[in-house]
Amino acid sequence: MMPVGASLISRFVLCIGARPLPACSLISCSSLLKSRFYHKMPAVPNATLLTGLKMPMVGLGTWKSKKGEVKAAVESAIDVGYRHIDCALVYQNENEVGEGVEVKLKEGKVKREDLFITSKIWNTFHNPKDVKPTLMDSLKSLRTDYLDLYLMHWPQGYVNGDKGLFPKDDNGKFIYSDDDYVDTWKELEKLQKEGLVKNIGVSNFNEYQINRIIKECSVVPAVNQVESHPYLTNELLLKFCKSKGIVLTAYSPLGSPDRPWAKPEEPVLLDDPKIKKIAERLGKTTAQIVLRYQVQRGAVVIPKSVTPSRIASNFQLFDFELTDDDMAVIGGFNKNFRGCGLEWISDHKYWPFKENYSE
């Protein structure tokens, strides 16, 4: 069977006859074909949050994106079709995210209501008096009047003082606060009532902690954003979240081999021969296979990149499907390997990764 592109070109040639075409006409033909294929790209599906708001299943992650690169990455992502941008105050690049969004709003490429913007409250601002002021700082940096989703970045709090976002004592140990994440959550509920955030959720919370919020507070978290990739499938947590109507967002879905504390001996997910074999069979990249695995099991993904070609590639997940066998093979990689466990604060009473966690 003749490829679709070749068929279109053949019909184009039949229309204009066999005479040679000037270069400009060939370029126009190429542009026409590209335009047709671009518009046929399958739409990105949405997850429906408890409020009814739609959340795109693929978003642009901005963790580890260096200053000076984020604005262009956001612009590139919006041009490709991304409408979901994941941010956090602690990433220290929200101002550049806001600049990139602002450019596209002024160009008329998108309207604010077309976008789904997430940010997160950092650990040093868990005290109830600090919650609204830090949100207002993020809104100012992001150049928006509201967030679509505001997450509590971690359940554990640090002291808020003159030691910055990562307060440590003279021995290099983090200085903890006594703030209870439930009290912080109640302040987030107030922000939602004020209309400053449309949805509120959590990140890096375990089942016990989420159940405690549900029991002691008024609003069920809309989202739980956690590390998830084939080496850490978080299958039980995903099942629990689905049972409560909570959307699970997978951060570091590609394994985050570039995180600052990664060790040389750690396995590199995208180099796994079994994933390479699936990718070759389907004509996809290994990254696309791993990302498709997450969305096919119902998790939102937020891969980070500042490279335009990778930003585009990471978005192209909906013109193919993995077979049940593929899903089983990839799911079988699980090692409970956690790259972002923050083991250096494992003595915090709210550190979420303790076995048989309780309070």
Side-chain angles (χ1 to χ4, degrees):
M1 181 180 292
M2 182 180 293
V4 176
S7 176
L8 286 172
I9 292 172
S10 298
R11 277 179 265 167
F12 184 82
V13 171
L14 286 173
C15 289
I16 56 106
R19 66 186 184 278
L21 281 173
C24 59
S25 297
L26 290 172
I27 293 171
S28 298
C29 178
S30 174
S31 299
L32 172 65
L33 293 174
K34 287 181 180 178
S35 174
R36 287 193 60 168
F37 290 129
Y38 178 80
H39 289 297
K40 282 183 174 292
M41 183 184 295
V44 174
N46 296 310
T48 301
L49 304 182
L50 289 168
T51 59
L53 192 70
K54 305 295 185 181
M55 178 182 187
M57 293 289 290
V58 181
L60 178 71
T62 58
W63 178 42
K64 304 189 290 347
S65 294
K66 298 176 183 177
K67 291 183 178 180
E69 299 178 337
V70 183
K71 176 176 177 288
V74 169
E75 291 182 43
S76 178
I78 291 175
D79 283 340
V80 168
Y82 285 77
R83 296 297 179 261
H84 175 184
I85 312 293
D86 183 83
C87 320
L89 180 143
V90 76
Y91 302 163
Q92 301 182 63
N93 56 21
E94 286 190 324
N95 189 60
E96 284 193 50
V97 173
E99 290 175 353
V101 169
E102 188 174 58
V103 166
K104 292 302 163 183
L105 292 176
K106 288 182 177 179
E107 287 180 358
K109 178 72 176 181
V110 289
K111 298 177 181 178
R112 173 61 185 91
E113 56 267 29
D114 298 331
L115 300 175
F116 189 101
I117 300 178
T118 300
S119 187
K120 309 175 190 75
I121 182 170
W122 182 239
N123 306 358
T124 48
F125 304 108
H126 278 203
N127 190 280
K129 67 178 174 55
D130 295 326
V131 173
K132 185 173 181 178
T134 191
L135 168 66
M136 300 309 292
D137 287 342
S138 284
L139 292 179
K140 182 178 179 181
S141 295
L142 292 166
R143 293 162 169 75
T144 184
D145 296 328
Y146 68 92
L147 293 175
D148 298 277
L149 177 62
Y150 198 37
L151 304 177
M152 198 184 320
H153 208 146
W154 289 87
Q156 68 273 1
Y158 305 152
V159 296
N160 184 12
D162 58 359
K163 294 182 179 291
L165 298 175
F166 304 94
K168 298 178 182 179
D169 62 21
D170 293 339
N171 296 316
K173 179 177 173 53
F174 276 83
I175 306 173
Y176 305 148
S177 73
D178 292 326
D179 298 306
D180 187 331
Y181 59 85
V182 165
D183 294 331
T184 309
W185 182 259
K186 290 177 179 177
E187 294 302 311
L188 296 184
E189 292 180 340
K190 294 177 184 177
L191 299 178
Q192 187 177 29
K193 287 181 179 178
E194 289 184 50
L196 294 171
V197 297
K198 292 190 174 184
N199 296 272
I200 54 177
V202 294
S203 180
N204 300 297
F205 274 56
N206 61 38
E207 181 176 333
Y208 182 104
Q209 292 166 331
I210 293 174
N211 272 328
R212 186 172 166 229
I213 285 178
I214 293 172
K215 181 180 178 180
E216 299 183 29
C217 303
S218 301
V219 178
V220 176
V223 168
N224 187 20
Q225 185 180 124
V226 297
E227 179 183 357
S228 184
H229 43 74
Y231 292 157
L232 180 68
T233 57
N234 260 319
E235 193 67 40
L236 292 178
L237 187 59
L238 175 62
K239 183 178 180 180
F240 164 75
C241 287
K242 286 182 177 180
S243 74
K244 301 295 182 182
I246 299 169
V247 171
L248 187 142
T249 297
Y251 74 73
S252 297
L254 303 179
S256 191
D258 60 340
R259 65 190 185 286
W261 53 87
K263 299 175 182 177
E265 66 272 16
E266 291 175 359
V268 178
L269 177 63
L270 299 185
D271 290 343
D272 189 287
K274 292 181 180 178
I275 293 181
K276 285 184 174 181
K277 184 176 180 181
I278 295 172
E280 289 170 4
R281 190 188 84 239
L282 294 174
K284 299 295 177 181
T285 67
T286 52
Q288 288 171 327
I289 297 302
V290 170
L291 295 172
R292 175 70 201 190
Y293 165 76
Q294 292 289 2
V295 298
Q296 199 160 314
R297 66 203 284 255
V300 172
V301 288
I302 47 170
K304 165 261 174 184
S305 182
V306 295
T307 306
S309 60
R310 290 180 182 170
I311 290 172
S313 177
N314 289 344
F315 194 66
Q316 295 165 3
L317 307 178
F318 302 101
D319 58 349
F320 72 101
E321 288 188 7
L322 300 174
T323 66
D324 290 344
D325 286 344
D326 293 335
M327 293 293 288
V329 167
I330 298 170
F333 289 2
N334 185 54
K335 311 170 185 284
N336 291 322
F337 171 77
R338 193 179 299 280
C340 302
L342 306 191
E343 291 82 3
W344 47 89
I345 60 159
S346 60
D347 60 338
H348 195 296
K349 63 181 178 180
Y350 295 138
W351 186 66
F353 307 129
K354 301 170 188 173
E355 289 188 27
N356 303 312
Y357 181 97
S358 64
E359 297 172 11

